């Protein structure tokens, strides 16, 4: 029953963020608005399925992550500050709730890297906030993810903004510590 409650709450939170994204895209980006509306419909359908299946003993259906990520990716391609910030907030929520699948983590980190290179300080800080809140089991998933994360932190490390630079340094240290811990565990098991 607790899992149902958590899924329903996740659906409500993501749907709210996507509605805000839809609102921001309604005039300038009708295609993105359309994809976002599709994602909202999928989330509503998912929430209804969760609520009906949650009463029984069956397993919960998968969250419609692909549709949500598609809308977020398209929105971020606009490089419009408000749209990107709403998208990153939604992405942060998905990461925090650990909804991302292993195969999507590299895509998400690459998306954040693209946004970080834009040079917008508030976007860079939002990207750093998202990275720092990402659980280590996601950031250390495989070599590709670690490599992309290091590239992203390097881009942010080179920022002329002191806050971004110092937070990126802390992120690099945190990543190095996680890698060292993982290596120590692997060495002790060998």
């Amino acid at each position: 029953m607790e899992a149902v409650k958590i899924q329903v709450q996740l659906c409500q939170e993501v749907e709210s963020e996507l509605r805000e994204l839809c609102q921001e895209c309604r005039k300038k980006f009708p295609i993105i608005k359309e994809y976002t509306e599709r994602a909202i419909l999928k989330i509503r359908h998912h929430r209804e399925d969760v609520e009906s299946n949650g009463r029984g003993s069956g397993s919960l259906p998968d969250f419609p992550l692909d549709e949500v990520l598609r809308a977020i990716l398209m929105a971020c391609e606009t490089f419009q500050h408000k749209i990107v910030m709403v998208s990153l907030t939604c992405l942060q929520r998905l990461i925090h709730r650990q909804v991302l699948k292993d195969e999507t983590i590299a895509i998400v980190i690459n998306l954040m890297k693209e946004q970080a290179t834009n040079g917008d300080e508030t976007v860079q800080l939002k990207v750093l906030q998202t990275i720092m809140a990402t659980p280590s089991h996601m950031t250390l998933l495989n070599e590709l993810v670690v490599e992309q994360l290091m590239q992203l932190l390097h881009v942010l490390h080179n920022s002329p903004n002191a806050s971004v630079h110092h937070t990126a340094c802390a992120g690099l240290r945190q990543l190095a510590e996680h890698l060292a811990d993982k290596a120590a565990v692997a060495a002790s098991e060998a």
Side-chain angles (χ1 to χ4, degrees):
M1 192 64 176
E2 184 67 25
V4 171
K5 185 178 175 182
I6 290 170
Q7 277 288 320
V8 168
Q9 187 178 19
L10 170 66
C11 289
Q12 290 168 341
E13 291 170 356
V14 173
E15 183 179 337
S16 173
E17 310 237 342
L18 290 178
R19 267 192 261 116
E20 185 179 351
L21 183 60
C22 220
Q23 195 70 13
E24 291 296 324
C25 293
R26 76 176 185 274
K27 290 182 181 174
K28 282 186 171 180
F29 306 102
I31 302 282
I32 298 170
K33 178 184 177 280
E34 184 180 322
Y35 273 94
T36 305
E37 287 172 341
R38 285 184 202 168
I40 290 170
L41 288 174
K42 293 268 187 174
I43 289 172
R44 285 182 186 159
H45 181 70
H46 173 71
R47 187 176 66 224
E48 290 167 3
D49 284 352
V50 165
E51 289 172 336
S52 65
N53 287 351
R55 293 186 194 111
S57 60
S59 63
L60 296 177
D62 287 338
F63 183 81
L65 182 64
D66 293 342
E67 289 78 8
V68 174
L69 282 180
R70 186 175 298 118
I72 290 172
L73 288 168
M74 290 176 71
C76 284
E77 287 176 6
T78 68
F79 286 94
Q80 300 286 316
H81 177 79
K82 178 80 172 162
I83 293 172
V84 168
M85 291 300 285
V86 171
S87 299
L88 289 174
T89 300
C90 188
L91 196 58
Q92 192 173 27
R93 186 170 312 281
L94 294 172
I95 290 170
H96 174 72
R97 295 294 196 121
Q98 299 184 11
V99 177
L100 295 182
K101 299 174 188 167
D102 290 353
E103 60 270 13
T104 60
I105 294 172
I107 294 167
V108 167
I109 291 175
N110 196 41
L111 168 70
M112 289 191 290
K113 187 170 65 173
E114 286 176 12
Q115 295 307 312
T117 59
N118 188 15
D120 184 328
E121 177 185 322
T122 54
V123 170
Q124 289 178 334
L125 287 170
K126 187 67 161 181
V127 166
L128 278 166
Q129 183 184 40
T130 305
I131 292 168
M132 299 302 274
T134 302
S136 64
H137 76 274
M138 289 179 158
T139 57
L140 302 176
L141 180 66
N142 59 43
E143 288 180 32
L144 175 64
V145 171
V146 171
E147 179 184 345
Q148 287 183 331
L149 191 57
M150 288 178 83
Q151 289 172 357
L152 169 57
L153 288 168
H154 182 278
V155 165
L156 293 167
H157 177 268
N158 291 331
S159 172
N161 178 281
S163 298
V164 173
H165 171 79
H166 292 299
T167 308
C169 286
L172 284 166
R173 272 192 301 278
Q174 182 180 351
L175 180 61
E177 287 172 10
H178 287 310
L179 288 170
D181 291 346
K182 191 171 181 176
V185 168
S188 68
E189 292 175 354

